Amino acid sequence: MSIRIAPSILSADFGRLEAEIQSASSADLVHVDVMDNHFVPNLTLGLPVVKRIAEVSPMPLDVHLMIEDPDAWAPRYAEVGATSVTYHFEAATNAAQVAKDIRSTGARAAVAIKPATPAEAVFDLLTVVDMVLVMTVEPGFGGQAFMPHVLPKLALLREAATQAGTDLWLEVDGGISADTISQAVAAGADTLVAGSAVFDQADRAAAIAALREAAVPA
Ligand code: DX5
Ligand code: ZN
């Protein structure tokens, strides 16, 4: 099975973002964490910065919105150049409409669920999203410990997507490293976010290669 690696720039040097993103160009997507200090207790970056990242990144942008009111904001991230926009189910007022509004721009729509949110909460959305993000840490910070107990949600989502006849990507985010990635892939993840496991290493290409190597044990 082919997998996608999405380095999270949350662990990159924000003072030299363009070079940092370039250093990870052997990956498939660049994961951009937008936090508003309301939905999560941390604050990162917003629309103008994502717009500029989209202009300089050699990789498609996988924007992860950890913000309140994604109903208003999510389509705007698609309009400034994100290839995929992920919003949190827990934050949306009309979760299906958010996905439709993202898709109407031509971008891919994705819905994320926190560790305590059951897979079943998003079953009704599987025909309007292109990806589900299953959080394997509490959203808000990089470098936290992987939560393997959430992984059974991936099989439930895959089964529901197959029944709905949709080609769904399944992403995991949080605590992914060369030690944990094979568990996530074995559980059904095909798109793997890794922040500290890539950007805390001096050689980002080697770190990405190590994740690919570890993803599917020989
Ligand atoms: C956390 C963010 C993640 C974060 C992952 O809320 O959504 O994308 O960067 O960092 P690591 O891979 O270090 O757990
Ligand atoms: Zn993220």
Side-chain angles (χ1 to χ4, degrees):
M1 189 181 87
S2 71
I3 57 145
R4 288 168 287 270
I5 302 288
S8 164
I9 58 168
L10 187 61
S11 291
D13 178 350
F14 281 121
R16 44 193 301 278
L17 259 192
E18 184 175 4
E20 291 284 79
I21 292 168
Q22 190 65 44
S23 77
S25 61
S26 60
D28 303 286
L29 306 161
V30 58
H31 184 85
V32 182
D33 291 301
V34 175
M35 305 185 191
D36 67 352
N37 194 36
H38 290 275
F39 181 69
V40 289
N42 197 3
L43 184 69
T44 56
L45 48 83
L47 210 48
V49 180
V50 171
K51 179 173 189 284
R52 189 71 188 116
I53 292 170
E55 288 165 357
V56 303
S57 173
M59 290 168 285
L61 252 54
D62 177 39
V63 172
H64 177 193
L65 300 177
M66 285 160 276
I67 61 171
E68 291 183 352
D69 201 12
D71 303 68
W73 287 97
R76 301 186 63 184
Y77 284 88
E79 284 162 4
V80 298
T83 296
S84 174
V85 179
T86 302
Y87 61 97
H88 268 269
F89 173 75
E90 303 87 356
T93 300
N94 185 337
Q97 191 60 47
V98 181
K100 289 173 190 165
D101 289 346
I102 295 167
R103 275 184 165 177
S104 73
T105 69
R108 294 173 60 86
V111 66
I113 50 174
K114 299 199 323 182
T117 302
E120 290 80 0
V122 295
F123 279 3
D124 286 350
L125 300 173
L126 297 182
T127 54
V128 292
V129 296
D130 301 287
M131 182 170 82
V132 176
L133 166 54
V134 173
M135 290 303 299
T136 40
V137 297
E138 287 297 337
F141 299 92
Q144 303 183 78
F146 180 68
M147 296 178 165
H149 71 270
V150 307
L151 293 177
K153 288 195 261 189
L154 294 165
L156 299 175
L157 288 162
R158 175 59 64 210
E159 189 185 335
T162 301
Q163 277 182 19
T166 64
D167 180 20
L168 188 73
W169 292 10
L170 290 176
E171 184 173 60
V172 291
D173 181 7
I176 296 296
S177 69
D179 293 331
T180 58
I181 193 168
S182 66
Q183 291 177 63
V185 172
D190 53 35
T191 307
L192 295 303
V193 178
S196 49
V198 172
F199 286 107
D200 285 1
Q201 302 293 316
D203 186 339
R204 280 65 187 274
I208 292 161
L211 288 169
R212 291 196 199 280
E213 176 80 13
V216 187

